[in-house]
Amino acid sequence: MVLQLENFGLDTSSPSVVYMDVNVVPEHDGEALLASTISALQAEVKELLAKQIFLDAKRREALNRILDIKGSIRVFCRVKLRNEKKALPISIEADKITVRPLGTCKDCIVDRVFPPESTQDDVFQEVRPILRSALDGHNVCVLAYGQTGTGKTHTMEGRNGQQGIVPRAIEELFHQISQDKSAKFRLSMSMLEVYMGSLRDLFVHRPYSSARSTYLIPKSNLSILSGADGTIEIEGLMDVPMSDAKQAYRWYARGKHARSTSWTHVNDASSRSHWSVTWLLCVCSLTRITICRLSNDTAKGAVEQVSKLWLVDLGGSERLLKTGAKGQTLDEGRSINLSLSALGDVIAALRMKRNHIPYRNSKVTQILSDSLGDGSKVLMIVHISASEEDIGETICSLTFAKRVRAVDSSRELSEESKKRKEQCINELEQQIQESEDELKKVRSQIEKTERLIREKTKLHQVPSDMNNGSPRSTLILDVEEEKPIQRSQTRAAPGFMSSTECSRQRQKLAVSTTKWRSMSASTRKPLDFLGPQTLSFSSLPKKRNMACKPSDHLNMSQNSIDSRGSTASRAKKVSNSNPNLMVALHKHRRRMSALL
Ligand SMILES: Nc1ncnc2c1ncn2[C@@H]1O[C@H](COP(=O)(O)OP(=O)(O)OP(=O)(O)O)[C@@H](O)[C@H]1O
C-alpha cells in the first residue's frame, strides 16, 4: 500500500508529496477523503483571510494614530539656495528657520525643514505614510506653497530626471495596491487648473490652431458641486480610470503638457511680456487621484470606501510687484494672493477647531473643502529661498507657514513631552512592522493553501483516458512544482476522477470567463477600472447551481476568477453535508457521469 498523507492536511509549510494508492483505498473512501481535505483547506483559507483582515485593520489603526500624533495638518519647509557666495541671511535647524533681516531676528518652527541639500527622496519619505493613509480611506492633500522659482514644481513634478512627489506617489500607490491583498482598489485620475478664478480640465483635448501656431484653450465651464454630506464634485471634470502606473504616467504627462501649452498660448495671445509672467503666476494646478477601496468586513460584509488624494502646486504671485503689473493684471495677481490667503484662513480655522470654516472664499478652498477637514491629512510644503535678495518674500512665506501651523499652541511641546510623543510613535511603528511581517506570513500561507486546494480539486477532474488499463495507479502530487506526475498509466481512472456535472459547469464557466475577457472594452466598462486580479464574480453570466454569495465577490485570495466561484460553491456543498450523505452524493454523481 502506498499511502502517505501526512501533508494532506493543513500543514502547508513544507513541500508536500502525496502518494495515494487508489487501488487500496476504496473509491468512495478516497473520494470522501479528498473532499473532506478540500473542505478543511477551504476552512483554513477562510480563517487566514479573517486573520488578514484583522491584521490589516490593526496596521491601519496604528498608522492613523501615528499621523494623528504627528498632526493631521503638517507644515514642512524646503529651502532653495542659489549659487551664492555671500553669507546667508537665514539659519536652518531640524524644525526651525531663523531669518535675520536688517539686524532683526524672526524664527519659524515647522514640523520639518528640508535644507538645500535635501533630495527628492528625503521629501518623499515624509509623504509616503500619508499615501498609505489615502489607500486606507482618508482624504489627503499635499500642497506646495511658495514664491515663484523656489522649487514648488521641482518638488511636485520633478525636473531633470529627479522625479517629484506626483510621479513617485503614482508608483507608490500601485506598488502598495499590488502588495495589499486585504482589499481591492480602483484608481482614477483628474487634473485641473484654477486659472483666473475659473476651473479648466487639463485632460480635455485641445485643438491645434495652425493660424495661431498654438493649441486653443476651450472656455472653462466647470462648476463645483457640493453634496448634502459635504462631499465635493467638479461637474464635467474628466476622471480617467487607471489600471497601472504606466497609464497614470501617460495621463499625467498629458495634463502637464496641457498646462504648459496654456501658458504658451497666453504668452502668444497677450504679446505683452510682463503679462505672461503674471498670468503664469495665476495658475494653480491640481492633480486628483480618487481611490475606491473595496474590502470585505466580516461583520459588515462588502464595504466600499472612496478617498481622494490631492497633489497641488499652488500659484505664487510675489513677482507681481517686481514685474510692475497694472490694471487688470494687477487685479488678477491680487486674486491669487486672496486665494492663498483664503487657504491660510481655512487651515487656521481648522486648527482652531472653529465652527465656521471659510471654505467659500476661494475656488481652491471650495475644491479642497472635503479634503482639508475632519479625518483628512494635510501636508503643506512651504518653499523659501535662502538668498538675500528674496528675503522679503521669504519672510512672507514663513509668516504664512506660521499662521497655518502655529495657531495650535499645543504643538510647541516641552522636551519631555516630545520624548514621550516620539516613544509612542516608535511603539506604534513597531506595531505596524509586526503586523506587516505577520501579514506577509499569512499571505504566503494563503497562497500555499490555495495552491493545494487547486491541486486537490484537479484530482476530481483528471480525464479518464489518462488512467486507462492500469491495474494499480499511484498518483504523486508534487505540490512544489504544481503539477501532478503520473507514475503508472495503465488503469481505468477511478470514478471520482471523471468529470462530474459540477466540474463540467466549472469548465463552462471558465469558457464564459475567457469570452468575457475578450469582450470589447466598452461592454465591460465597470470592470475595466479594476487593477490586476480584481475581476468581480458578480459580473459573470449567472450559471445554474453556481450561485455566489455577495461576500464571495470580494474574495481576497489571489485566485483567478475561474476557481473563485467554483470553490465557493463547492465549499458550501461539502461543509453542509454529513459524511454518509457526501458518499451518497458522490456515488450519485458518478452514476450521472456514466449516463451522460
Ligand atoms: N531643490 C532643488 N534642487 C535643484 N533644483 C531646484 C530645486 N528647486 C528648484 N530647482 C530649480 O529651480 C528652478 C525653478 O524651480 P520651479 O520651477 O520648480 O519653481 P516654482 O516655485 O515651481 O516656480 P513657479 O511658481 O514658476 O512654478 C527650476 O529650474 C528647478 O529645476
Side-chain angles (χ1 to χ4, degrees):
M1 166 177 167
V2 186
L3 186 65
Q4 199 175 3
L5 295 169
E6 307 92 80
N7 293 327
F8 210 61
L10 301 180
D11 178 14
T12 54
S13 53
S14 59
S16 302
V17 177
V18 178
Y19 298 88
M20 264 180 54
D21 187 341
V22 288
N23 219 23
V24 176
V25 180
E27 257 178 36
H28 58 83
D29 284 357
E31 184 178 1
L33 185 60
L34 198 55
S36 68
T37 305
I38 291 171
S39 167
L41 289 170
Q42 283 168 338
E44 164 149 324
V45 169
K46 219 173 167 184
E47 244 175 62
L48 287 167
L49 286 172
K51 189 171 178 187
Q52 183 177 263
I53 291 168
F54 168 77
L55 288 169
D56 190 56
K58 205 170 143 188
R59 178 200 59 75
R60 289 166 67 190
E61 199 191 312
L63 175 66
N64 206 34
R65 279 184 62 199
I66 289 180
L67 293 176
D68 282 346
I69 292 172
K70 284 185 173 177
S72 51
I73 300 174
R74 304 178 75 205
V75 181
F76 298 149
C77 184
R78 190 172 192 184
V79 185
K80 188 191 166 193
L81 192 60
R82 293 195 188 153
N83 294 328
E84 295 195 59
K85 309 238 165 11
K86 282 190 269 176
L88 295 177
I90 70 170
S91 55
I92 300 163
E93 289 166 55
D95 59 357
K96 190 170 155 189
I97 299 270
T98 309
V99 190
R100 284 175 298 277
L102 305 168
T104 58
C105 183
K106 290 183 182 228
D107 58 18
C108 173
I109 292 175
V110 290
D111 290 277
R112 180 168 171 186
V113 177
F114 294 104
E117 62 276 14
S118 303
T119 62
Q120 298 283 68
D121 199 45
D122 293 336
V123 177
F124 187 68
Q125 289 315 316
E126 286 288 355
V127 177
R128 196 194 295 270
I130 62 167
L131 296 179
R132 182 65 252 181
S133 188
L135 289 175
D136 289 346
H138 297 274
N139 288 340
V140 166
C141 279
V142 180
L143 308 152
Y145 175 95
Q147 173 198 348
T148 299
T150 45
K152 298 184 293 294
T153 313
H154 180 77
T155 298
M156 298 309 286
E157 283 180 11
R159 296 223 168 116
N160 310 325
Q162 297 177 51
Q163 281 197 328
I165 290 173
V166 184
R168 282 167 191 259
I170 290 171
E171 192 185 335
E172 178 69 16
L173 288 175
F174 280 101
H175 171 72
Q176 297 254 5
I177 285 172
S178 71
Q179 301 292 306
D180 191 342
K181 302 288 184 295
S182 61
K184 295 187 190 309
F185 295 90
R186 294 193 308 247
L187 260 57
S188 56
M189 191 191 218
S190 308
M191 279 180 83
L192 72 150
E193 63 186 10
V194 179
Y195 179 80
M196 310 269 290
S198 55
L199 314 183
R200 180 164 292 139
D201 192 333
L202 293 173
F203 284 165
V204 167
H205 176 70
R206 286 161 193 210
Y208 187 77
S209 156
S210 28
R212 288 184 168 210
S213 307
T214 189
Y215 289 92
L216 298 176
I217 305 172
K219 247 194 162 337
S220 170
N221 56 358
L222 303 177
S223 48
I224 303 166
L225 305 177
S226 172
D229 57 350
T231 52
I232 295 293
E233 201 34 79
I234 298 164
E235 194 180 25
L237 180 70
M238 271 179 78
D239 191 38
V240 184
M242 301 292 155
S243 57
D244 56 38
K246 267 191 189 165
Q247 193 193 8
Y249 289 145
R250 275 200 300 276
W251 279 94
Y252 179 57
R254 182 174 164 163
K256 279 196 308 183
H257 178 72
R259 193 168 81 125
S260 47
T261 48
S262 73
W263 295 350
T264 315
H265 176 72
V266 170
N267 293 347
D268 287 354
S270 72
S271 73
R272 273 173 285 186
S273 59
H274 69 270
W275 272 43
S276 64
V277 176
T278 312
W279 279 53
L280 184 151
L281 297 172
C282 292
V283 173
C284 164
S285 80
L286 302 99
T287 304
R288 181 185 71 185
I289 299 177
T290 307
I291 300 161
C292 181
R293 182 181 207 274
L294 300 152
S295 59
N296 203 358
D297 191 300
T298 31
K300 297 180 209 156
V303 179
E304 183 180 297
Q305 269 178 309
V306 179
S307 53
K308 296 177 196 170
L309 167 65
W310 285 102
L311 303 157
V312 186
D313 187 345
L314 293 164
S317 65
E318 307 81 359
R319 287 265 179 99
L320 260 183
L321 298 174
K322 287 186 181 176
T323 54
K326 288 177 197 145
Q328 190 200 344
T329 322
L330 187 59
D331 290 343
E332 285 150 6
R334 279 186 187 135
S335 116
I336 189 74
N337 268 341
L338 285 174
S339 287
L340 295 174
S341 148
L343 181 65
D345 291 343
V346 164
I347 297 178
L350 286 168
R351 271 217 183 285
M352 289 196 281
K353 298 192 173 27
R354 286 215 179 115
N355 287 336
H356 174 68
I357 312 290
Y359 288 119
R360 298 193 68 81
N361 288 354
S362 83
K363 291 280 187 213
V364 175
T365 48
Q366 274 181 56
I367 295 169
L368 300 178
S369 62
D370 63 349
S371 307
L372 291 171
D374 270 353
S376 306
K377 316 284 169 206
V378 180
L379 218 158
M380 167 88 72
I381 309 172
V382 175
H383 294 75
I384 59 165
S385 157
S387 305
E388 182 80 59
E389 65 183 83
D390 294 321
I391 195 128
E393 280 153 4
T394 297
I395 289 172
C396 283
S397 298
L398 290 177
T399 308
F400 178 84
K402 234 173 168 173
R403 182 150 169 263
V404 162
R405 187 183 177 278
V407 189
D408 183 358
S409 54
S410 66
R411 301 297 292 277
E412 275 32 281
L413 302 169
S414 66
E415 278 308 306
E416 201 184 320
S417 310
K418 270 188 190 169
K419 263 188 200 156
R420 267 208 308 274
K421 195 171 131 179
E422 227 146 73
Q423 194 186 341
C424 193
I425 291 173
N426 287 343
E427 277 167 20
L428 288 163
E429 277 172 351
Q430 175 92 17
Q431 258 184 41
I432 293 180
Q433 192 56 52
E434 280 167 14
S435 300
E436 276 174 358
D437 290 346
E438 213 166 328
L439 268 169
K440 260 187 210 154
K441 280 185 205 157
V442 169
R443 273 173 208 145
S444 122
Q445 184 80 0
I446 290 173
E447 274 167 29
K448 280 181 185 173
T449 315
E450 283 178 342
R451 203 165 55 187
L452 256 183
I453 292 173
R454 282 197 296 278
E455 293 300 341
K456 304 285 171 266
T457 310
K458 265 187 213 160
L459 287 177
H460 280 280
Q461 297 169 325
V462 175
S464 52
D465 58 348
M466 278 178 73
N467 302 303
N468 276 347
S470 167
R472 195 182 138 101
S473 174
T474 305
L475 281 179
I476 296 181
L477 183 68
D478 188 339
V479 174
E480 278 294 283
E481 290 183 16
E482 281 198 306
K483 55 187 177 203
I485 304 162
Q486 195 71 34
R487 277 284 165 90
S488 167
Q489 294 102 4
T490 49
R491 186 188 176 273
F496 72 87
M497 287 182 180
S498 57
S499 66
T500 60
E501 174 60 16
C502 187
S503 64
R504 274 193 296 277
Q505 286 213 16
R506 211 166 32 242
Q507 280 158 10
K508 273 187 215 163
L509 179 63
V511 171
S512 55
T513 309
T514 319
K515 274 186 196 161
W516 179 88
R517 280 185 175 140
S518 60
M519 277 159 78
S520 69
S522 59
T523 354
R524 56 182 169 89
K525 206 172 177 186
L527 292 179
D528 214 19
F529 297 9
L530 306 179
Q533 300 165 355
T534 55
L535 296 174
S536 161
F537 187 73
S538 60
S539 307
L540 287 171
K542 286 216 165 61
K543 292 272 165 187
R544 196 163 46 91
N545 299 335
M546 297 298 284
C548 190
K549 288 180 293 177
S551 57
D552 296 329
H553 300 175
L554 289 170
N555 190 335
M556 280 165 258
S557 71
Q558 268 191 298
N559 273 0
S560 69
I561 192 164
D562 313 10
S563 60
R564 241 190 288 172
S566 58
T567 48
S569 59
R570 186 180 290 274
K572 196 174 169 197
K573 280 176 189 167
V574 172
S575 61
N576 285 349
S577 313
N578 70 36
N580 291 338
L581 266 177
M582 211 160 55
V583 171
L585 178 66
H586 287 299
K587 275 184 181 166
H588 169 72
R589 273 202 207 135
R590 272 206 311 281
R591 276 201 302 278
M592 292 305 289
S593 308
L595 285 173
L596 289 168

